[in-house]
Amino acid sequence: MTSVAEGVPKDVRGGTIRSVIRHAKNPETSLHRFGMERTQEGLTIGKTAPVDEDILDEALGKVARGIYYHHHRGLRKLTGTIVVHPIFLGIVNDAPPEIHKTFENICKLMDEDMRSSQVHGEHQDVFKYQVFDEFDHIRINMVFYRSKSVLVIKRQSD
């Protein structure tokens, strides 16, 4: 997210670049995960990198669990099964109509939340969030770098 978002602070982007360089120097690294490839001419960097959705969901889920714990001042934990919706990735055009409708509804829900309810975070241009403890579900909205939206949902029965 850091490498493609606009308005990322220089020191944060610099850390991302240093990490990529470290990976590139290590011959054991699976560079294809970062959209790079070793060739006889050197290192080729592509315009895109594949997204490992499982790793992304796990990482964003951990962030959401941490946010929930922080938001409740260490008194509550978000346990059980959660569903992560990385809205910033979008969906493929040929997805079934019901998937498009679900995605559209998720986007509308998050947009309405962000407009109508309090948003938390000290540096909201880098990260902001909302936590909703509803009767039948818990919902966490997260926005990274002003444009990378993620919605995490946990049903209360889980």
Side-chain angles (χ1 to χ4, degrees), residues 96-141:
E98 61 272 11
I99 300 295
H100 278 278
K101 187 67 173 166
T102 299
F103 183 78
E104 184 180 303
N105 289 339
I106 288 169
C107 292
K108 284 180 184 177
L109 174 64
M110 188 167 177
D111 286 344
E112 178 60 30
D113 284 346
M114 295 305 274
R115 278 195 308 272
S116 64
S117 299
Q118 183 179 4
V119 177
H120 304 280
E122 273 189 53
H123 304 285
Q124 293 190 7
D125 57 329
V126 176
F127 179 75
K128 59 186 174 185
Y129 73 94
Q130 296 173 309
V131 174
F132 298 93
D133 285 293
E134 303 289 337
F135 170 73
D136 60 344
H137 70 279
I138 295 169
R139 189 169 70 252
I140 301 169
N141 295 325

Side-chain angles (χ1 to χ4, degrees), residues 6-110:
E6 292 182 26
V8 175
K10 279 185 175 182
D11 56 335
V12 174
R13 189 177 303 275
T16 301
I17 292 168
R18 285 190 300 280
S19 174
V20 169
I21 290 170
R22 248 190 336 273
H23 284 292
K25 287 181 177 180
N26 182 351
E28 306 292 317
T29 302
S30 302
L31 293 177
H32 67 278
R33 291 179 44 212
F34 305 98
M36 298 184 285
E37 179 183 1
R38 284 195 204 319
T39 65
Q40 289 185 344
E41 292 80 34
L43 188 65
T44 302
I45 300 175
K47 293 184 179 180
T48 62
V51 174
D52 185 323
E53 292 181 24
D54 292 335
I55 291 174
L56 180 64
D57 283 358
E58 183 180 340
L60 292 172
K62 286 180 180 182
V63 172
R65 290 179 196 279
I67 288 299
Y68 189 80
Y69 185 77
H70 167 79
H71 183 76
H72 290 292
R73 295 177 169 73
L75 299 175
R76 291 169 130 177
K77 290 185 177 182
L78 185 63
T79 59
T81 303
I82 59 175
V83 179
V84 177
H85 299 283
I87 295 170
F88 67 92
L89 289 180
I91 58 172
V92 293
N93 290 334
D94 60 351
E98 61 272 11
I99 300 295
H100 278 278
K101 187 67 173 166
T102 299
F103 183 78
E104 184 180 303
N105 289 339
I106 288 169
C107 292
K108 284 180 184 177
L109 174 64
M110 188 167 177

